[in-house]
Amino acid sequence: MNLSVNLQMRQSQSLVMTPQLLQSIRLLQFQHAELQAFLEREAEANPLIEVEAGTAQSATEGGDTPDDLAPLLPGADLAPLTGTRDDGEVFADAAERIGDNADAARDDLAFSGEGLVLSGFAAEDDGIERIGEGVRSLRDHALGEIHDTFGNATERALAETLFAELTEAGYLAADPTERAAELGVALEAAEALLARLQASAEPAGLFARDLAECLAIQLRRRGRFDPVIACVLAHLPLLARRDFAALARLTGESEADVAEMLSEIRTLDPRPGAGLGEPEATPVTPDIVVREDAETGLWQAELNAAAFPRLVLRAPDSIAPAGAFRAGERGFLTQCQQSASWLQRSLEQRARTIQKVAGEILRRQDGFMAEGVAGLRPMTLMDIAEALGLHESTVSRVTSGKFMATPRGTFEMKFFFTVAIAASGGGDAHSAESVKLRIGRMIASETVDHVLSDDDIAAQLREDGIELARRTVAKYREALGLPSSVQRRRELNARRLAG
């Protein structure tokens, strides 16, 4: 084999990821809060940039707004949606068009996978030293309850050591008897301290060691704790399975009496610590507002000006006269001016892309506006990318963390993408979310004499033209948080006995 060294000239093309291109990609995937923080950092480093929070006026007025971007932004007479005020009037006309289907829309959300957002519970605190602080943590709340319960400094210090650590549900994080043994404290003394704390702590049930003790504490506060209900609490697995026959044998009561006890237990709070110390849920600022065109009756996707900060560029001469700059300063300002111009163009392109993708989503999912979740059609990122001539990763960045305000609620744009479920007989495919809704409605309409098994649901869906396996029905049912047919039958029997 002959080895030799030679020189060759070759010409080829390649895509180079410049800093500006990387910046455009990052801007596209930023959420509203991330974008605002990024622009504020840029403004600190660039003296030619000023950032103004997005408002209806700033988005449509002023000479610095490009003419080609102005049609993308809401008109000056439309108030932006900030998430911190009542935005119901924005969709007043659309609500009238939907009419009686408004209640159905709310029912749809119960099976759409959307969870409830619970605001934090702000516990009262008389301590002057806490004025100006943020939301108290669960540990702070526990220490406050210990301080209020024990006046003796020794007892207070011991209780803080034994009982201050709680789980998110409000239960003791560790067995206090083990900790008491390590400290050389008598078990009886530790139990007495815990009993005093449990009897006075708010909310009732805090500092319990398990679920049964948590419920017992709350029943004692109501004066409803007796040996019969104590027996029921000692056999919570039977209660969870709605095995009233077994509980009736253990307690000596009738099944109807056991069902009444279940009704009372349901009024108790199994997680008294939930929400304590948690901050309030941050309102969502939608990037897109869906409105109905008064003339055509079609739905339109408009940019919400409140979600798009406005970038104001200053000329270098506004800082000082041109002759006042030295050579290095003039070069620095020229570089800042180029960077600011590129950033402004990137923001304009981001706004266009978001509206373009939102408009295509709305065009394909217009049935959602009329029928709710039942009207969702199968749709993938690739469908939108091919329709708009974009890359699939670009559509993914646009829809992640971006929200769309519709007359049926505010949804993340990812919500409208759902997998296809084949239709029997070669008909149009169904979306997974609409099938989940059907399953939820079937189960919600069950009676004690007619409870559907997963096989029954699959057979009924097949009759409706939806081809779905039994195991997929079980997966969707579990995703909705719905129990098995055996548990549902026991639940319905319990309701019939209770009333």
Side-chain angles (χ1 to χ4, degrees), residues 142-360:
L143 291 175
E145 292 297 324
I146 291 172
H147 184 276
D148 294 340
T149 301
F150 301 105
N152 182 280
T154 303
E155 292 180 337
R156 187 187 311 128
L158 184 58
E160 289 177 356
T161 304
L162 295 176
F163 313 130
E165 298 298 331
L166 301 178
T167 66
E168 293 182 357
Y171 299 161
L172 293 176
D175 187 355
T177 58
E178 296 179 1
R179 183 61 174 157
E182 295 175 359
L183 298 175
V185 178
L187 178 60
E188 294 77 8
E191 291 284 354
L193 288 176
L194 180 58
R196 288 171 57 189
L197 183 59
Q198 290 176 344
S200 61
E202 291 292 341
L206 213 60
F207 300 102
R209 282 167 285 201
D210 52 37
L211 176 59
E213 188 174 47
C214 174
L215 301 178
I217 293 170
Q218 298 177 55
L219 289 169
R220 287 193 182 96
R221 295 275 186 97
R222 299 182 180 185
R224 297 288 297 165
F225 190 77
D226 55 38
V228 175
I229 205 164
C231 181
V232 172
L233 295 180
H235 298 85
L236 285 178
L238 294 177
L239 189 64
R241 295 198 301 267
R242 306 296 190 268
D243 194 345
F244 298 119
L247 288 172
R249 289 194 300 270
L250 290 170
T251 60
E253 302 290 331
S254 66
E255 292 188 23
D257 292 336
V258 174
E260 287 183 7
M261 284 184 277
L262 171 61
S263 300
E264 184 167 8
I265 290 174
R266 277 179 166 172
T267 65
L268 306 177
D269 185 3
R271 296 172 56 86
L276 290 175
E278 294 182 0
E280 293 187 359
T282 303
V284 170
T285 302
D287 301 86
I288 294 293
V289 180
V290 178
R291 305 181 191 275
E292 184 181 19
D293 187 279
E295 297 180 357
T296 64
L298 300 177
W299 298 98
Q300 295 183 342
E302 299 179 355
L303 296 177
N304 177 23
F308 294 85
R310 181 172 180 253
L311 202 65
V312 179
L313 305 187
R314 301 172 57 190
D317 295 341
S318 64
I319 299 178
F325 295 114
R326 290 176 294 195
E329 294 173 344
R330 169 60 65 179
F332 169 74
L333 290 177
T334 301
Q335 184 179 3
C336 288
Q337 189 174 29
Q338 293 174 351
S339 176
S341 299
W342 177 271
L343 180 58
Q344 188 175 51
R345 289 195 298 270
S346 297
L347 291 174
E348 295 168 6
Q349 182 62 37
R350 175 181 181 271
R352 293 190 187 94
T353 306
I354 290 176
Q355 189 185 37
K356 187 188 300 182
V357 171
E360 182 63 20

Side-chain angles (χ1 to χ4, degrees), residues 6-47:
N6 54 51
L7 296 176
Q8 292 182 349
M9 183 177 294
R10 180 179 302 172
Q11 187 176 10
S12 63
Q13 292 182 338
S14 62
L15 179 64
V16 179
M17 296 290 286
T18 64
Q20 292 86 353
L21 183 57
L22 289 172
Q23 183 186 73
S24 298
I25 294 175
R26 287 200 305 270
L27 286 176
L28 197 59
Q29 64 188 14
F30 279 161
Q31 302 179 19
H32 168 60
E34 295 171 337
L35 177 63
Q36 184 72 34
F38 172 79
L39 294 179
E40 289 174 356
R41 290 194 301 269
E42 288 292 315
E44 291 177 358
N46 192 331

